[in-house]
Amino acid sequence: MTEPETRVRLLVAAANQIAADPALVAALVAHGPLSRAGVELALREHLELTPSDAEIEQLLATRLPATPEATVILAANVFVGALRAVAVAAASAGRVLVRPSRRDPLFATALVQAAQQLGAGWISVQNTRDLTDLHGAVHVYGRQDTVTAVRQGAAPGVTVYAHGPGFSVAYVDDDDAAARVARDVIPFDQRGCLSPRITYVLGLERAHTFAADLSRELAASPVARGTLDDAEKAEWTRYVDTWTMAARDAHVAAEHAVVVTDLGAPFALAPVGRAMHVVAVDDPSQVDAALLPYADQLVAVAGAAPLARPDFARVRRAALGGLQRPPFDGPVDLRVRTR
Amino acid sequence: MPDASTSLHERARALVRAFADGVAAPESFDALAVDLGRFQAEHVPGYLRLCARRHVDPAACTHASQLPAVPTDAFKAMRVAAFPESETHQIFRTSGTTVGQRGRHDFRDLRTYDAAALAFGRASLIGSGAFVVLVLGPSPAEAPDSSLTHMNDLLGRELGAAGSGGFYLTGDTFDLAGLDQAAARAVVAQTPVLLLGTSFAFVHLLEALDDELFPLPPGSRIMQTGGFKGRSREVSATELRRAIATTFAVQTRDVVQEYGMTELSSQFYERTAVDAGAPEGVLFEPPWARVIPVDPDTLAPVAEGEVGIARIEDLCNVDSAFAIQTADRVRRVHGGFELLGRQPGSAPRGCSLAIDELLAREPS
């Protein structure tokens, strides 16, 4: 086994240790925005505890140029994403420094500590925001502001891999998709870049039916929505009030909202917090046209949308219901930009 | 329906006239507001649905505050109008980025807008004086769908002394020679100038002048409006006010901030130029409009002195939405309100893209 593979497999082992730690679950519930069921769902179904050999092989095969040291600057919200982010760095660097999100440090810190207990002397937590102390490679995740600050602050010679913000969409052309789309919406209360914020549905009648079905699925979910912060609540209210007026149909409840529009309405993204903007299309090619102006922000699509243009070449594809469980084959976001 | 609309317009203009004439209002704010709410619930598509979502029966309302406000985003998502498109007399559009959508505000009858703009513009900017009104902005021919340009043109045509009405910005280019000549003529006529422009335009003009002074006749005033964050350079409101005052040789209290938006028919001003005791940085409403800070989530009014986002009730918005919900942060103070910037969009953390972030960007 090569050293990179050893490091990656050790991280997976560390993740398996902490995923079963009730103290960590309790802390994530107490200090994060997700409900207990939401945290448990994330750890159970969206943390890559059993990647296949083929997946690990793929992750190692697509690794970045080797470097003695890499720093991983993590984002908040999708806390389990720390495993993949650190593994991507560890596949190419002999020493890995992890800077957890200040808002959401628990899982990443626990992962590093567990790895150290398993004998990994090559990894450590670095609780600093100092951008002058970066060497080798930097993998930065999160808002564009953060990415820009790192790009500007890192010394010449430091390679910055930028995993910026983005959004995902779903495409539905059958009559039985609501439960699968709900499985993509519920994890992390839609805070991740893999969370679908728009569903394009082929046919107006199907769109109305899908919206009603999705609303029922979200209402029936045993995974309660967690809490929204003040800015999220404000955007939720603004979105719901706007589209209550402007949409063809709106299903609004305390913890979810589904609105139906068509391509005549302006482009909009549903807000964080289990909302879905359903857009009826007459032809699959209309999805390409609608998304083209936003192609550089599109991370993934679920379903069989054509997205045939080269502009969409780096968009990750998934089956409906599989958006939030991509193979452990490298960064979830294929748009990674290098400075 | 036009009869009902016409009657409401007349009632709104009667309030404006009463203010202009210094006499008592013919009816209360709430009396007209609830009638506007009922009219709009009946005729503006979607507003009755919004009322229902908020469990409000417009027929049972007795106060303006009971009726839900229409988010400014709705003006981007749909046509917020109580009349068919064929009856549209004027459309004002919001500014927008290349990717972002522009909002639209349709007017069937501009007389109410114009009456309100003139009455409160005169009271806040001019008082009993006479001014040559010049505009550091585009002409109506260049920006026919800009409500600010319409208002600037209106103030110049209706309130300005002889020599008013020049527009000294075309595209990105200032006509400094033209402005200089107009100011020189005002000096000869011994008439002060009222120079109208956006903060953005003034920032750029100061850059273009590069510390050179551009003195206006004694007693001149400046009206500046709008934000300028993210533009070529960022300066504080206080710094900009001082810089404008220095450059144009006017008192800092004669640099007056205006706050308005495409979705409204009324404007708000500082009173520093016309009231020696008025505080700087505090904007005031005309009696036919209210600015109420509300909680961003519940939309309930916040406690006196606390910061909320602005719910604006404007009785001159007859054919669209008399109450609109903005994302602008405000605080009531000294009988007016302070403007504190925009409520940030959500997703302040993590990798999930915020809609504001998406629509504010230029295409790649």
Side-chain angles (χ1 to χ4, degrees):
Chain A
M1 194 182 299
T2 63
E3 286 186 16
E5 183 177 351
T6 302
R7 292 194 292 268
V8 169
R9 289 190 182 277
L10 185 140
L11 286 167
V12 172
N16 273 279
Q17 279 200 355
I18 62 174
D21 179 0
L24 178 62
V25 172
L28 288 167
V29 173
H31 299 290
L34 298 180
S35 65
R36 172 171 287 277
V39 169
E40 289 170 348
L41 174 72
L43 291 169
R44 186 177 65 246
E45 296 193 18
H46 303 287
L47 178 63
E48 297 87 348
L49 296 175
T50 54
S52 67
D53 290 345
E55 286 174 307
I56 290 179
E57 195 175 315
Q58 177 70 14
L59 185 144
L60 293 166
T62 57
R63 73 178 187 270
L64 303 162
T67 177
E69 180 177 309
T71 302
V72 185
I73 301 175
L74 291 167
N77 294 339
V78 182
F79 63 87
V80 299
L83 170 60
R84 184 186 296 254
V86 175
V88 167
S92 62
R95 174 168 168 69
V96 178
L97 305 170
V98 179
R99 296 186 179 186
S101 157
R102 282 184 305 167
R103 289 170 183 261
D104 198 1
L106 296 171
F107 183 85
T109 303
L111 178 69
V112 172
Q113 289 170 347
Q116 288 169 334
Q117 285 165 9
L118 291 172
W122 46 267
I123 189 168
S124 60
V125 168
Q126 195 178 44
N127 285 313
T128 175
R129 303 186 76 203
D130 183 4
L131 299 178
T132 64
D133 190 28
L134 296 168
H135 307 281
V138 180
H139 302 259
V140 55
Y141 294 79
R143 283 173 61 80
Q144 194 56 47
D145 292 354
T146 309
V147 170
T148 301
V150 171
R151 277 187 172 139
Q152 292 174 347
V158 174
T159 304
V160 178
Y161 298 106
H163 308 254
F167 71 100
S168 295
V169 304
Y171 173 73
V172 167
D173 58 3
D174 65 50
D175 295 329
D176 192 25
R180 286 171 284 156
V181 173
R183 281 203 295 276
D184 288 331
V185 170
I186 289 167
F188 315 107
D189 291 342
Q190 229 172 355
R191 289 189 179 86
C193 58
L194 291 177
S195 299
R197 312 275 288 280
I198 306 170
T199 301
Y200 292 96
V201 179
L202 188 61
L204 182 59
E205 191 179 335
R206 180 183 283 132
H208 281 285
T209 304
F210 168 79
D213 291 348
L214 180 61
S215 179
R216 275 193 293 275
E217 291 288 342
L218 293 172
S221 171
V223 181
R225 193 180 75 176
T227 55
L228 303 185
D229 66 26
D230 288 347
E232 289 168 344
K233 285 179 191 169
E235 185 150 324
W236 173 273
T237 302
R238 195 155 46 115
Y239 173 85
V240 167
D241 281 1
T242 295
W243 291 98
T244 292
M245 285 187 69
R248 284 175 167 272
D249 197 6
H251 304 264
V252 179
E255 295 195 343
H256 75 267
V258 183
V259 308
V260 183
T261 70
D262 55 36
L263 284 170
F267 184 87
L269 290 181
V272 162
R274 301 192 186 178
M276 182 55 75
H277 201 77
V278 176
V279 180
V281 296
D282 300 325
D283 184 282
S285 66
Q286 291 175 330
V287 178
D288 292 43
L291 288 171
L292 189 59
Y294 313 100
D296 62 329
Q297 304 294 313
L298 185 60
V299 175
V301 59
L307 299 186
R309 302 176 69 111
D311 310 75
F312 299 113
R314 293 188 298 176
V315 174
R316 191 180 265 274
R317 305 301 185 108
L320 291 172
L323 262 182
Q324 304 273 12
R325 275 174 288 194
F328 193 64
D329 58 359
V332 293
D333 184 352
L334 305 179
R335 305 168 304 150
V336 182
R337 292 176 171 86
T338 308
R339 183 192 80 173
Chain B
M1 188 278 285
D3 286 347
S5 167
T6 300
S7 167
L8 290 164
H9 273 285
E10 285 170 356
R11 289 168 63 185
R13 286 199 295 273
L15 288 180
V16 174
R17 257 196 320 275
F19 168 77
D21 295 343
V23 300
E27 65 178 318
S28 74
F29 188 99
D30 284 312
L32 180 51
V34 295
D35 283 351
L36 285 170
R38 290 171 190 147
F39 169 76
Q40 290 165 3
E42 190 175 348
H43 295 289
V44 175
Y47 187 55
L48 191 58
R49 283 201 299 274
L50 182 62
C51 291
R53 179 177 130 61
R54 297 256 167 214
H55 310 293
V56 170
D57 175 6
C61 290
T62 54
H63 294 89
S65 61
Q66 294 168 314
L67 286 150
V70 173
T72 51
D73 282 359
F75 287 80
K76 293 189 178 83
M78 62 182 292
R79 182 173 176 270
V80 181
F83 54 92
E85 189 122 27
S86 59
E87 292 179 20
T88 299
H89 171 70
Q90 173 76 48
I91 301 174
F92 291 139
R93 295 183 194 277
T94 60
S95 55
T97 62
T98 311
V99 173
Q101 289 90 22
R102 299 178 70 189
R104 61 183 280 174
H105 189 180
D106 292 39
F107 287 83
R108 188 179 73 85
D109 181 350
L110 267 181
R111 288 176 298 168
T112 306
Y113 180 104
D114 290 354
L118 289 171
F120 205 52
R122 184 197 303 274
S124 305
L125 297 170
I126 291 178
S128 57
F131 290 82
V132 173
V133 178
L134 305 175
V135 181
L136 193 62
S139 69
E142 192 181 356
D145 59 2
S146 160
S147 59
L148 177 62
T149 298
H150 173 81
M151 185 190 81
N152 288 343
D153 180 47
L154 184 71
L155 295 180
R157 278 190 286 112
E158 300 295 330
L159 301 183
S164 294
F167 296 86
Y168 300 99
L169 180 63
T170 304
D172 292 334
T173 306
F174 293 110
D175 177 10
L176 288 180
L179 181 60
D180 195 28
Q181 287 167 9
R185 286 194 293 271
V187 170
V188 170
Q190 296 186 309
T191 308
V193 164
L194 171 60
L195 182 60
L196 314 174
T198 63
S199 305
F200 179 40
F202 281 111
V203 167
H204 275 272
L205 179 62
L206 298 184
E207 283 179 346
L209 289 171
D210 194 20
D211 292 335
E212 192 181 330
L213 299 184
F214 200 104
L216 294 175
S220 292
R221 292 174 181 167
I222 309 277
M223 182 207 84
Q224 56 150 332
T225 184
F228 42 87
K229 190 175 187 301
R231 300 297 187 176
S232 61
R233 62 173 177 155
E234 291 183 19
V235 292
S236 74
T238 305
E239 270 181 81
L240 181 60
R241 183 194 297 266
R242 284 194 191 128
I244 291 172
T246 301
T247 299
F248 293 101
V250 302
Q251 302 293 315
T252 53
R253 292 182 64 79
D254 285 330
V255 181
V256 176
Q257 187 188 359
E258 186 257 12
Y259 171 54
M261 59 183 68
T262 302
E263 297 86 348
L264 293 175
S265 297
S266 298
Q267 299 81 33
F268 311 101
Y269 293 95
E270 289 176 305
R271 296 184 52 79
T272 51
V274 294
D275 178 352
E280 289 185 9
V282 179
L283 295 131
F284 291 88
E285 309 104 309
W288 57 85
R290 291 173 176 163
V291 176
I292 303 146
V294 298
D295 180 272
D297 175 26
T298 65
L299 303 183
V302 300
E304 183 71 22
E306 290 195 0
V307 176
I309 55 173
R311 169 190 165 104
I312 302 179
E313 295 168 356
D314 179 357
L315 301 182
C316 291
N317 256 8
V318 171
D319 290 315
S320 52
F322 91 95
I324 67 162
Q325 183 58 60
T326 77
D328 290 338
R329 296 165 65 246
V330 294
R331 174 169 48 206
R332 296 296 310 185
V333 57
H334 302 307
F337 65 94
E338 291 176 315
L339 192 57
L340 303 169
R342 194 164 190 276
Q343 171 81 9
S346 71
R349 52 191 180 174
C351 61
S352 181
L353 189 72
I355 184 69
D356 286 355
E357 196 173 4
L358 179 68
L359 296 181
R361 86 194 210 289
E362 294 298 320
S364 57

